[in-house]
Amino acid sequence: MAQTVYNSQLDAFDLYHQIQETHEPKFSLGGPALPALGHAVAGSTGAAISNILTYPLALIVTRLQIQRALRKEAGHIPDEAYRSVQDAASKIYDHEGGISAFYAGIASDTAKTIADSFLFFLAYNFLRRTRLQARSKSSGYLPVTEELGVGFLAGAFSKFWTTPIANIVTRQQAASMLSRKQPQRGAGASIRAIALRIRSEKGLQGFWSGYSASLVLTLNPSLTFLLFETLKRFLLSRHKRSDPPPQATFLIAAISKAIASTITYPFSLAKARAQTSSRSANTKDSENTAKSEKVQGTTDSDSSKNRSGVPNNVFSTILQIATTEGPSALYEGLGGEVSKGFFSHGFTMIVKQYVHRVIIRLYFVMLKLLKRFPNPETTLEGVKENAENVVTAAQRSLRPS
């Protein structure tokens, strides 16, 4: 059996390609198997419901990530600062209208989640099928490195199209903070108003602020997989590693995801700051360079070298935060992010299983209504095909390794 590659973005689909192709026949006695689109709908629905349930945590994390940057831009009243996840929740509830304040931007973010899931699934499906066709062996699965590579490319593709929505969502989540610091930026939290503001501040490229950080974050599943395999070796006995119990799989996967999220969290923070900043990265780099020149007395010739030599990317942003605000600033809001990831993982898996059953039932009802349910001849062919698959699988298992 193919080795299962843990991928947090594929959790929503129960690793459809690896499980569906390995264990599920293309035909069942009850009728044709549910098409890939059905699994995508189930996965996207599960991800959307999970996103709604964990959205208040996401909003709090975003505000914790950006508050220091806003503080530096326009100053603030000390009492307004959020000191922890609990403190942020209390202040948002008391000062911004109760429960509804925790769901600012929920519609846009849910739409982004659904689009992200669908685009990822479609890209992953296409890329994986292409790689399987290119391989000489028809084994039905890819090596671990290729599987992770396909996941990264599919994630990069989906994030490219959904990053503009992510920019709008981040500003919706921070709208009340922006209005306190700079009223002209916080005024009007509608999608249209925010989009026009981004366009006027940064141009069209401003809609892709934070995309480079998203690419790094797309590597999170690969890191999670490596941690998952390592923890499995340490925590499980040898005879349980190939087929671990569901509870152990969930717990180890959640722990692995939490550790991976901790490692990649600075990139998430840098992305949030880039998306709420009113200035492009080029402008910020130029201003920071000018300030350092005044302090250090750098000459004009040195200045031009510095501006051309400093890379304008997410890594320089993280380095700048660490040097100016301290390493601890890179992990502000980490507790909320880890909690959100843990609950999101669990909710997605639970909801997806329920939705999957409902969609299967609706699918067969539609087949009956459209009179596309298989006739006896088709059923006999399906039985024959399944029997051949069973025989082939038995022969492979009996072959000496």
Side-chain angles (χ1 to χ4, degrees):
M1 188 180 76
Q3 185 181 18
T4 299
V5 178
Y6 175 79
N7 187 322
S8 61
Q9 285 186 277
L10 290 178
D11 283 343
F13 307 106
D14 279 344
L15 293 169
Y16 165 72
H17 291 286
Q18 290 145 28
I19 294 175
Q20 171 81 1
E21 294 173 5
T22 306
H23 299 289
E24 280 190 19
K26 296 179 181 177
F27 183 93
S28 66
L29 294 179
L34 183 68
L37 182 61
H39 293 271
V41 171
S44 297
T45 305
I49 294 174
S50 171
N51 181 69
I52 293 171
L53 293 174
T54 59
Y55 188 78
L57 264 177
L59 182 141
I60 291 172
V61 169
T62 298
R63 293 195 178 191
L64 287 169
Q65 289 175 334
I66 66 172
Q67 66 174 353
R68 289 200 191 195
L70 294 179
R71 182 188 315 167
K72 291 176 70 176
E73 282 187 17
H76 78 301
I77 300 172
D79 290 341
E80 291 180 355
Y82 303 135
R83 292 172 174 80
S84 65
V85 172
Q86 294 82 358
D87 183 57
S90 175
K91 288 178 177 176
I92 292 170
Y93 182 84
D94 292 339
H95 302 146
E96 298 182 27
I99 295 294
S100 61
F102 292 98
Y103 290 92
I106 182 67
S108 304
D109 195 52
T110 302
K112 180 188 76 69
T113 300
I114 294 173
D116 212 10
S117 297
F118 255 100
L119 290 170
F120 177 88
F121 187 80
L122 295 175
Y124 182 87
N125 184 29
F126 171 77
L127 293 171
R128 190 173 187 276
R129 186 177 300 168
T130 302
R131 286 303 305 147
L132 285 173
Q133 291 173 352
R135 293 177 64 83
S136 56
K137 296 180 181 179
S138 57
S139 57
Y141 65 93
L142 297 173
V144 170
T145 52
E146 288 194 37
E147 197 76 64
L148 295 174
V150 167
F152 171 76
L153 292 175
F157 173 80
S158 65
K159 297 297 181 189
F160 177 81
W161 296 107
T162 58
T163 294
I165 307 176
N167 272 268
I168 292 173
V169 169
T170 303
R171 293 205 177 198
Q172 286 180 314
Q173 292 175 335
S176 66
M177 295 179 72
L178 293 172
S179 64
R180 286 200 301 268
K181 308 299 189 278
Q182 294 173 300
Q184 73 277 10
R185 292 185 62 200
S190 67
I191 294 175
R192 176 180 170 81
I194 292 174
L196 290 173
R197 201 172 304 122
I198 293 173
R199 172 71 184 273
S200 65
E201 292 173 356
K202 304 180 184 180
L204 283 177
Q205 69 271 23
F207 288 99
W208 279 268
S209 295
Y211 179 64
S212 59
S214 296
L215 290 180
V216 177
L217 292 171
T218 307
L219 294 171
N220 191 287
S222 303
L223 180 58
T224 304
F225 168 73
L226 296 176
L227 291 167
F228 179 82
E229 291 298 317
T230 303
L231 290 175
K232 196 166 66 171
R233 287 178 177 274
F234 279 105
L235 300 177
L236 298 179
S237 56
R238 188 181 298 272
H239 68 279
K240 288 185 178 180
R241 290 174 191 169
S242 58
D243 189 19
Q247 297 87 347
T249 300
F250 176 85
L251 183 60
I252 295 174
I255 294 172
S256 303
K257 191 169 185 179
I259 297 173
S261 296
T262 301
I263 295 172
T264 59
Y265 186 76
F267 294 95
S268 174
L269 183 139
K271 181 182 75 169
R273 291 196 179 188
Q275 291 175 342
T276 52
S277 173
S278 60
R279 296 167 293 173
S280 66
N282 289 330
T283 304
K284 285 162 56 176
D285 283 348
S286 298
E287 290 181 1
N288 290 331
T289 303
K291 288 179 182 177
S292 64
E293 287 164 9
K294 289 180 181 178
V295 173
Q296 299 173 9
T298 313
T299 63
D300 290 339
S301 59
D302 291 335
S303 168
S304 61
K305 289 179 183 178
N306 288 340
R307 287 174 186 165
S308 60
V310 176
N312 178 20
N313 54 43
V314 67
F315 296 99
S316 61
T317 301
I318 290 175
L319 181 61
Q320 178 190 327
I321 294 171
T323 53
T324 59
E325 302 176 28
S328 62
L330 294 172
Y331 292 94
E332 193 162 20
L334 175 62
E337 179 69 19
V338 171
S339 300
K340 181 176 77 71
F342 182 86
F343 289 118
S344 177
H345 174 84
F347 288 148
T348 300
M349 295 295 287
I350 293 169
V351 173
K352 192 270 175 183
Q353 291 177 0
Y354 175 77
V355 174
H356 189 266
R357 294 194 197 102
V358 173
I359 288 178
I360 287 177
R361 289 174 185 169
L362 292 175
Y363 174 63
F364 285 115
V365 168
M366 287 178 60
L367 286 178
K368 289 180 180 178
L369 291 176
L370 296 173
K371 297 183 179 180
R372 292 183 60 184
F373 211 70
N375 55 38
E377 291 79 10
T378 307
T379 303
L380 183 59
E381 289 178 6
V383 172
K384 238 188 245 186
E385 182 182 348
N386 289 345
E388 290 174 359
N389 291 337
V390 170
V391 171
T392 303
Q395 289 174 344
R396 286 179 181 173
S397 64
L398 292 174
R399 282 180 195 165
S401 53

